């Protein structure tokens, strides 16, 4: 608030009460005007909203005996922009307060008021959290769940999501009152907040326990919302799940939650993702995994094998000679999508397949191989280690 506003605003005139009005009369006048000009009762009317701010500002000062005394003294000293000397000073003279204090910015001028008149009287209008007015309220956050297939989680997907959230009651237009004319809450006088002292001259604000932070109390509670002004609303929206999400991941979508009140922002939507299993592929971070069967000759002699990829053409991997069972090889760039848009790898684990049924030719070949390897004992090292040799 500017210096000029401070000395020229007539809060008694704003509330329509005399300067010697009792506290009860001030409160009564405020309630009547606040009910008439409250934003919820004048949706879209900018002039009514501005008038409500003036009324709230005036009440904020005049309802506090200490602040009212300071205001009266300031008005007596600097009333209407002119200095009024005390008795015996002789005559009177007027001058612009800006000449007295406005030029003292950043330095100690005008009798030592280095920060201007705002430093002297600024606290009058900013105690206890600012001027009294109905604050916008942020919408509630919503949490939902979605189940994706393995492929959708890797590549990303747009899925329909049906949600239920709190929104303005359509039956009473969000007022909570059947007739749409709720009264101002007497506890918080329409602010939706109450102050409590915390020591050291500071105060904390909490939502009003009587009106639940709305600033209004319905005379005849709405049958649909029971006077809360809010009702459950169901809607279906298309939600884009980014590529590369993992099972159990919680995604935050800003502004997709419940609508705010009195121009407040929407809440956020949190989506918990569940991912189904795949019959072939697995997941390890940004990498996909797959197990590929190979024959004994392929593992012993080496060779090339085709490996499937998720949603793409197969890749060919070279199996080195003497590849043991369980060895893992890497096909780069064939995994899940990372946050930066690149892909992880496909981890290919070799599984040597032992045939269950052998024909005579295959049996003879294996027996010949066994005889050729008779001098080799693959368990010799095991027994030496067991003996501590």
């Amino acid at each position: 608030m500017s210096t000029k506003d401070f000395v020229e605003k007539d809060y008694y005139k704003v509330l329509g009460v005399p300067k010697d009005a009792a506290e009860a009369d001030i409160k009564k006048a405020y309630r009547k005007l606040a009910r008439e000009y409250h934003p919820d009762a004048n949706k879209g009317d900018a002039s009514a909203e501005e008038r409500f701010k003036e009324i709230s500002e005036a009440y904020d000062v005049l309802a506090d005996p200490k602040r009212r005394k300071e205001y009266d003294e300031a008005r007596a000293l600097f009333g209407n922009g002119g200095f009024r000397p005390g008795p015996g000073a002789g005559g009177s003279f007027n001058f612009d307060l800006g000449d007295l204090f406005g030029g003292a910015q950043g330095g100690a001028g005008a009798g030592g008021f280095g920060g201007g008149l705002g430093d002297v009287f600024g606290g009058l209008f900013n105690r206890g959290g600012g001027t009294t007015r109905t604050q916008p309220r942020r919408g509630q956050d919503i949490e939902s769940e979605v189940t994706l297939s393995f492929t959708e989680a890797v590549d990303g997907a747009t899925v329909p999501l049906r949600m239920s959230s709190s929104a303005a009651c359509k039956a009473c237009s969000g007022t909570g009152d059947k007739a749409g004319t709720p009264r101002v809450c007497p506890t918080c006088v329409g602010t939706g907040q109450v102050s409590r002292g915390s020591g050291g001259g500071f105060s904390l604000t909490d939502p009003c326990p009587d009106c639940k932070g709305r600033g209004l109390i319905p005379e005849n509670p709405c049958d649909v919302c029971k006077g809360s002004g809010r009702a459950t609303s169901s809607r279906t929206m298309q939600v884009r799940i980014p590529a590369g999400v993992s099972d159990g991941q919680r995604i935050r979508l800003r502004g997709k939650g419940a609508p705010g009140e009195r121009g407040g922002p929407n809440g956020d939507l949190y989506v918990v993702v569940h991912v189904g299993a795949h019959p072939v592929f697995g997941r390890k971070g940004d990498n996909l995994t797959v197990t590929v069967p190979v024959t004994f000759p392929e593992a012993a002699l080496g060779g090339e094998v085709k490996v499937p990829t998720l949603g793409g053409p197969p890749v060919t991997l070279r199996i080195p000679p003497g590849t043991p069972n369980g060895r893992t090889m890497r096909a780069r760039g064939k995994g899940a999508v990372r946050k930066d848009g690149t892909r992880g790898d496909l981890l290919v684990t070799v599984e040597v397949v032992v045939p269950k049924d052998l024909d005579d030719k295959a049996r003879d070949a294996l027996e010949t191989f066994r005889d050729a390897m008779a001098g080799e004992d693959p368990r010799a090292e095991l027994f030496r280690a067991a003996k501590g040799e």
Side-chain angles (χ1 to χ4, degrees), residues 41-57:
N42 299 273
K43 294 185 181 297
D45 189 340
S47 61
E49 182 178 356
E50 190 63 30
R51 175 75 169 129
F52 181 77
K53 291 179 181 179
E54 293 178 356
I55 295 166
S56 299
E57 182 181 292

Side-chain angles (χ1 to χ4, degrees), residues 139-180:
Q140 292 180 338
D141 292 336
I142 303 174
E143 185 165 303
S144 186
E145 298 182 350
V146 64
T147 299
L148 303 180
S149 69
F150 189 90
T151 303
E152 287 175 330
V154 171
D155 296 334
T158 299
V159 297
L161 195 63
R162 184 170 180 81
M163 299 174 298
S164 295
S165 63
S166 174
C169 176
K170 294 182 179 179
C172 64
S173 301
T175 64
D177 191 277
K178 287 182 180 180

Side-chain angles (χ1 to χ4, degrees), residues 115-348:
L117 189 61
D119 289 340
V120 183
F121 299 110
L124 178 64
F125 296 97
N126 260 324
R127 296 177 183 169
T131 56
T132 304
R133 64 184 180 92
T134 305
Q135 299 288 342
R137 296 184 68 186
R138 180 180 180 274
Q140 292 180 338
D141 292 336
I142 303 174
E143 185 165 303
S144 186
E145 298 182 350
V146 64
T147 299
L148 303 180
S149 69
F150 189 90
T151 303
E152 287 175 330
V154 171
D155 296 334
T158 299
V159 297
L161 195 63
R162 184 170 180 81
M163 299 174 298
S164 295
S165 63
S166 174
C169 176
K170 294 182 179 179
C172 64
S173 301
T175 64
D177 191 277
K178 287 182 180 180
T181 55
R183 63 185 175 90
V184 175
C185 174
T187 303
C188 66
V189 290
T191 66
Q193 298 177 333
V194 292
S195 299
R196 55 184 175 87
S198 60
F202 294 96
S203 63
L204 301 176
T205 58
D206 295 318
C208 176
D210 292 337
C211 66
K212 305 299 186 293
R214 298 187 65 240
L216 301 172
I217 294 181
E219 295 283 0
N220 298 296
C222 171
D223 295 330
V224 177
C225 65
K226 309 304 180 185
S228 68
R230 310 291 287 178
T232 300
S233 174
S234 296
R235 56 184 171 138
T236 300
M237 62 184 300
Q238 299 295 318
V239 176
R240 177 64 185 175
I241 305 298
V245 295
S246 56
D247 185 53
Q249 185 172 340
R250 193 167 182 253
I251 301 173
R252 179 186 183 184
L253 301 176
R254 297 181 182 274
K256 299 298 183 181
E261 293 184 67
R262 296 186 292 275
N266 293 348
D268 297 333
L269 170 63
Y270 291 88
V271 181
V272 179
V273 180
H274 301 287
V275 180
H278 194 280
V280 173
F281 297 97
R283 181 89 178 267
K284 185 179 289 185
D286 294 328
N287 299 323
L288 299 182
T289 62
V290 64
T291 299
V292 177
V294 299
T295 65
F296 175 73
E298 288 174 328
L301 302 176
E304 292 184 346
V305 297
K306 287 188 177 297
V307 178
T309 61
L310 185 66
V315 295
T316 300
L317 286 184
R318 180 167 181 77
I319 306 295
T323 296
N325 182 66
R327 179 176 177 178
T328 298
M329 293 175 289
R330 189 182 298 268
R332 298 191 179 278
K334 300 299 180 180
V337 179
R338 298 189 180 102
K339 290 182 179 180
D340 60 2
T342 62
R343 284 185 174 269
D345 301 330
L346 176 63
L347 305 180
V348 183

